[in-house]
Amino acid sequence: MAEALQQVILDTLDAESTIKDTRALVLPGEKGPAISNDAQIAILGALNSLSSRDMISYATHEVISHVPTPEGSQIVEQGSNEARVWAALSLKGQGEPITPNQLKKAVGDEVAKVGQGRAFKNGWIAKEGDGLVKSAPEIKDITRDDLLEIKSTGTLKSGEKALADLRKRKLIVQKKGQWFSVTKGPSFSTSIAKPETDLTVEMLASGSWKTSAFKKYNFEAEGIPTNGGALHPLLKVREEIRNIFLEMGFAEMPTQSFVESGFWCFDALFVPQQHPARDLQDTFYLSDPVISLPPKKDYYDLVSKVHEHGGFGSTGYRAPWVEEESRKLLLRTHTTASSAHMLYKLAAACRGEKISSDKGEYTHGASSTTGSDRGDPAKDDGFRPAKLFSIDRVFRNETMDATHLAEFHQVEGVVADRNLTLADLIGFMRVFFDKMGIEQVRFKPAYNPYTEPSLEIFAFHPMLNRWVEVGNSGMFRPEMLEPMGFPKDVRVHGWGLSLERPTMIRYGINNIRTLVGHKVSIEGIENSPAVRF
Ligand code: PHE
């Protein structure tokens, strides 16, 4: 088709030397001239192809034309409403009159309603008794004829008034169209030689390149858009939160160990061995290997002792200690397991051990001050204040639904300094959440086995118009800190929240499966905007 169309253009030019108006062309396989918009679009394609080879040149002209609306097209196919009403009736004196109800059944409510009025006005139908009959033996369906003409020519010979009337009846709409005038180009010929697109070894060898016609480079052609990498929304929000922590002087904790032992995930945090969070229903345990290497004996002994018998001012849980429970390997249920590792390391100097300076540890970037000068500077017990954070993945054996998965990300901040108070914790969180764009926060007393006091954090959600829980926090218990070796006046507070919840709120996502898992659309990831808190 494309080549046949190009040939028509070349042959017409050959015979007539110019084409004044491409609407007069008769396209291959058509009977009438190419008046419709679609035909002109096809012609434009052929013109572009020919002009790229300098065979022709053309000028574009704009024209306002008309096209039938869907309702207009229906009339072209089935006749006007009034003609359909007329057709459904019998001629006066030659058959039974039809009642309005029968008419509705025959042509449909809408056609009967709209068509009757016009048919009466045109004198096509009349009342007889309770029914309707044809009063004209023959009619001319002008509406349909006009629409047919518009469909094939884009206009009406009978003039602007009839067009305006059809426009008012919403049977046609105006449409901008184009047509073209064409003249011969410098390389005009009536035969379409397929130009070469590549210079080949064979052409060079045979010398045929000298006489071959080559396709011109089109420097204006737009290239195929390249696919770049795109960050997942969770990573974008993670980066924003990370920046908030860094801005506040926090150092990032290493959190690469998804697998922990019960000891680090629970025992070190003074979570009782019988706590429901340790149940199979809540925690994923490893089947191979089942058991971890033993923790450091002196610390292990202190932890088991504080659980079973108490110490450091605590009565302990007074329940039998089970070593096997402590050694079980599991997928960490919270990043507080990593915080426990880091706090234990932070207390190394207080225990009289040399501080290790392995890569990636808190000592590299940790700020040495929390903004206040606390305690007695004269006494050096080895303790150095620290502000640490992490954002990483945790696992819980949960029933999955629209807002819960078996794995999610936790954002966690931990601050260690002498004589910190609950007011310090609340102050830190206010600044932190404020930087996240959450200005209204409230705190509610809560229970955590490893913190006392503990606070749940609620934020006012303007879209939901209610308070929603956004995090959990507290002051770590002495039963956790003192076995690590921290001096008695050192307090550590921390808070945690999920990464998914603020991300879902930011991006207006209400099902977690659109964010995580196999239903995530790549396009959605590519198009998701960056966030700024
Ligand atoms: N680990 C807690 C949680 O999973 C969060 C938390 C972190 C609470 C630190 C207190 C201190 O919800």
Side-chain angles (χ1 to χ4, degrees):
M1 165 70 192
E3 278 203 5
L5 178 50
Q6 290 175 17
Q7 197 63 56
V8 168
I9 293 167
L10 295 176
D11 290 345
T12 314
L13 278 176
D14 193 41
E16 296 168 21
S17 89
T18 63
I19 300 172
K20 288 205 184 69
D21 185 342
T22 47
R23 290 174 295 182
L25 286 176
V26 178
L27 302 193
E30 297 288 327
K31 284 186 202 88
I35 289 166
S36 73
N37 257 314
D38 289 351
Q40 290 303 311
I41 290 168
I43 287 171
L44 176 61
L47 293 176
N48 278 331
S49 170
L50 292 171
S51 78
S52 75
R53 283 174 260 162
D54 287 332
M55 294 174 79
I56 59 132
S57 53
Y58 70 90
T60 306
H61 308 271
E62 289 214 331
V63 65
I64 301 282
S65 66
H66 285 89
V67 287
T69 59
E71 195 186 338
S73 303
Q74 200 186 355
I75 290 176
V76 170
E77 268 160 36
Q78 302 180 352
S80 65
N81 296 328
E82 52 274 27
R84 290 171 69 190
V85 166
W86 175 84
L89 308 181
S90 343
L91 189 61
K92 187 176 179 146
Q94 288 189 4
E96 283 295 305
I98 280 181
T99 66
N101 268 341
Q102 284 170 321
L103 179 66
K104 273 189 200 164
K105 275 211 188 97
V107 295
D109 285 8
E110 193 59 30
V111 175
K113 204 172 99 197
V114 185
Q116 264 182 71
R118 285 187 167 270
F120 271 118
K121 215 171 118 202
N122 292 351
W124 293 354
I125 64 171
K127 275 200 173 135
E128 193 170 285
D130 288 339
L132 296 166
V133 289
K134 275 180 187 166
S135 52
E138 256 173 54
I139 59 159
K140 202 167 146 33
D141 191 356
I142 296 168
T143 309
R144 182 192 201 178
D145 295 347
D146 284 355
L147 287 169
L148 251 171
E149 187 182 337
I150 291 166
K151 193 181 170 204
S152 55
T153 69
T155 186
L156 267 184
K157 279 214 188 73
S158 56
E160 188 48 42
K161 205 177 152 287
L163 279 174
D165 181 48
L166 290 173
R167 270 205 307 267
K168 221 169 90 192
R169 286 167 68 189
K170 296 205 167 62
L171 299 179
I172 56 168
V173 282
Q174 277 190 339
K175 196 173 165 186
K176 256 201 194 143
Q178 288 182 321
W179 58 274
F180 312 92
S181 52
V182 194
T183 51
K184 291 179 185 169
S187 310
F188 179 79
S189 143
T190 49
S191 63
I192 310 168
K194 222 171 178 262
E196 302 291 348
T197 48
D198 290 308
L199 183 64
T200 63
V201 178
E202 290 75 24
M203 287 177 190
L204 291 171
S206 69
S208 73
W209 63 272
K210 288 181 207 159
T211 49
S212 301
F214 285 93
K215 189 168 182 182
K216 279 210 307 189
Y217 279 111
N218 178 2
F219 293 108
E220 251 110 80
E222 285 181 22
I224 301 166
T226 48
N227 269 342
L231 284 183
H232 188 282
L234 276 176
L235 290 177
K236 289 182 182 162
V237 175
R238 182 188 191 282
E239 196 52 26
E240 278 301 300
I241 297 180
R242 204 172 164 263
N243 283 334
I244 293 173
F245 275 119
L246 294 174
E247 223 170 72
M248 292 174 78
F250 281 71
E252 193 161 8
M253 297 187 252
T255 47
Q256 61 272 53
S257 46
F258 289 4
V259 175
E260 287 285 357
S261 60
F263 180 79
W264 284 106
C265 197
F266 300 121
D267 296 334
L269 297 173
F270 199 54
V271 177
Q273 291 200 317
Q274 299 74 21
H275 195 275
R278 302 169 75 134
D279 283 355
L280 279 176
Q281 291 88 321
D282 288 291
T283 302
F284 290 114
Y285 287 93
L286 263 66
S287 53
D288 184 19
V290 179
I291 292 290
S292 68
L293 294 172
K296 266 183 116 180
K297 177 138 186 7
D298 48 352
Y299 178 47
Y300 173 85
D301 286 346
L302 283 173
V303 170
S304 65
K305 193 172 149 272
V306 79
H307 274 252
E308 195 166 12
H309 307 294
F312 310 104
S314 169
T315 56
Y317 291 119
R318 309 212 163 183
W321 171 265
V322 183
E323 181 177 345
E324 195 203 340
E325 195 61 45
S326 186
R327 299 270 301 273
K328 275 185 188 165
L329 283 172
L330 46 85
L331 292 179
R332 67 169 174 229
T333 59
H334 53 183
T335 42
T336 317
S338 304
S339 301
H341 278 287
M342 294 312 293
L343 289 171
Y344 179 71
K345 278 199 176 123
L346 182 66
C350 312
R351 295 191 299 270
E353 292 167 20
K354 249 185 82 203
I355 302 176
S356 97
S357 60
D358 295 351
K359 259 205 154 141
E361 287 184 0
Y362 66 91
T363 43
H364 279 265
S367 159
S368 62
T369 168
T370 54
S372 62
D373 193 9
R374 296 169 197 272
D376 176 5
K379 122 186 145 189
D380 190 0
D381 49 17
F383 173 71
R384 295 289 177 272
K387 294 193 284 191
L388 308 170
F389 79 97
S390 68
I391 308 172
D392 210 343
R393 202 172 281 232
V394 299
F395 308 86
R396 290 194 191 165
N397 195 357
E398 298 213 49
T399 319
M400 295 196 263
D401 62 25
T403 51
H404 294 90
L405 289 180
E407 56 185 284
F408 60 98
H409 292 78
Q410 269 189 340
V411 176
E412 178 151 330
V414 172
V415 179
D417 204 347
R418 294 184 199 278
N419 300 321
L420 288 176
T421 65
L422 192 63
D424 291 302
L425 170 61
I426 292 175
F428 248 113
M429 288 195 291
R430 278 200 193 282
V431 177
F432 175 81
F433 282 102
D434 190 62
K435 283 176 186 277
M436 274 185 55
I438 300 173
E439 285 149 31
Q440 294 191 65
V441 281
R442 272 187 191 167
F443 304 98
K444 186 178 138 190
Y447 171 75
N448 274 329
Y450 40 93
T451 52
E452 181 61 37
S454 309
L455 300 172
E456 273 168 5
I457 311 141
F458 286 78
F460 188 74
H461 195 307
M463 257 148 71
L464 301 176
N465 198 31
R466 63 181 171 85
W467 292 87
V468 291
E469 197 193 325
V470 289
N472 183 9
S473 67
M475 313 273 298
F476 287 112
R477 296 184 73 107
E479 290 97 325
M480 165 182 165
L481 300 178
E482 291 188 31
M484 289 180 170
F486 282 113
K488 277 198 179 317
D489 59 350
V490 168
R491 303 275 179 276
V492 182
H493 60 221
W495 68 98
L497 53 142
S498 92
L499 179 64
E500 280 76 0
R501 185 168 271 188
T503 307
M504 287 169 79
I505 294 173
R506 274 282 128 164
Y507 286 98
I509 296 171
N510 49 26
N511 191 330
I512 190 127
R513 293 177 183 101
T514 14
L515 193 64
V516 186
H518 66 286
K519 288 191 181 155
V520 175
S521 90
I522 299 289
E523 203 188 332
I525 290 177
E526 282 172 345
N527 297 337
S528 65
V531 286
R532 284 284 170 272
F533 288 130

